[in-house]
Amino acid sequence: MVPDALPALKSHHSGKDILAETPAYDLIELFFFAYRDFVSDPDRILDEYGFGRAHHRVLHFVSRNPGLTIAELLDILRITKQSLNRVLKELIEKDFIESRMGTADRRQRLLFATPQGGELALKLAKLQTRRIMRALSGMEPEAKDAVSRYLLSLIDPDSSAHVKHLVFGSEET
Amino acid sequence: MVPDALPALKSHHSGKDILAETPAYDLIELFFFAYRDFVSDPDRILDEYGFGRAHHRVLHFVSRNPGLTIAELLDILRITKQSLNRVLKELIEKDFIESRMGTADRRQRLLFATPQGGELALKLAKLQTRRIMRALSGMEPEAKDAVSRYLLSLIDPDSSAHVKHLVFGSEET
DNA sequence: ATTTTATGTCAGCCTTGTTGACATATCTCA
DNA sequence: TGAGATATGTCAACAAGGCTGACATAAAAT
């Protein structure tokens, strides 16, 4: 077994970069548990609507980015159009998302959350925000920025610019 | 349903009017993208072995906690015994995990990673550690601790003590 | 001796991902 | 204008990994 007495705590005293080889078990496992609980809040509510996590993701990004196209959504979610279409169809049928023909390019479908859809998206976002705020409370103000930068840096460098634009892109506080 | 304020309105530091929280869209979305990429590294390797994420989780926690029982593993993963058994059976058949009868309680099955299993678990942990280290590099030394505390606080308070014990062994807050 | 506990297993269902093939409308460009 | 590229939709089949319910067995606990 690997020495695991101290969680990814490193002091450089050994010659080689054994550091890069000592697994950061703490951050790996905390990430797993945190994510598990983080998505569990919405799950309970989505159930009442007959929706799942896939619906949540679609609704969230459409709600946050009105006029999003299918192609852009596929790029965000990294799933196939068939997978997307299955849940998107349900969201449209149940009137949580509206699909309008593109104006510049009429092949495109521009997606918008309906009032009902926007409300649900907001409700779920607030639920998750409550958990986030509880976690941040009691931490220094700089902590939030540190966490934000950490998460951003975890993302594939290829995607990080895209994500940065998507998340911090153009709007409100 | 509560009529919520439109997304733009919020205050700076006015007392305790936190009920109309402004969604923390940035942390919500960054968490999604970061987790997506974080688990994608192992996926590629697991594929070569004919394993999936479910196998990874089982192998990881067994490898990290030699002698883990079925019940404890179920408690960590929060899945049903049927779901667990499906992947566990494959891990045992392919000789990545060994199941021994309990000594104190002979009804129990104590799980251990085989040499081959421990090797794979370590390989995957190192992969994820590389990503973590890349993210932490360039951040202040306190950042790691902030991230760690943030993730821990995201976890359900009910589970956090258990997780703390599991991850850090047994100490600190 | 009976009941409870820890585990295993069969059978079937659901969600959400996949691939491949094909259809249609629209845009672009030579 | 006509050929091809592009954006989307759809059908069919399959896989992974969740789920429930029912039932079986060995061992511990009472």
Side-chain angles (χ1 to χ4, degrees), chain B residues 52-55 57 79-80 82-83 86 105-107:
Chain B
R53 287 180 196 178
H55 301 85
R57 291 193 282 266
I79 58 177
T80 60
Q82 294 91 330
S83 290
R86 187 162 38 206
D105 185 335
R106 307 201 310 170
R107 289 171 302 180

Side-chain angles (χ1 to χ4, degrees), chain A residues 1 4, chain B residues 59-69 72 98 100 110-113:
Chain A
M1 281 320 258
D4 62 338
Chain B
L59 181 60
H60 175 93
F61 285 108
V62 167
S63 166
R64 275 274 289 162
N65 303 276
L68 203 63
T69 67
E72 287 165 343
E98 188 188 348
R100 301 183 203 148
L110 307 186
L111 304 173
F112 299 86

Side-chain angles (χ1 to χ4, degrees), chain B residues 74 77-86:
Chain B
L74 286 176
L77 300 176
R78 298 235 192 114
I79 58 177
T80 60
K81 62 176 175 178
Q82 294 91 330
S83 290
L84 170 59
N85 215 259
R86 187 162 38 206

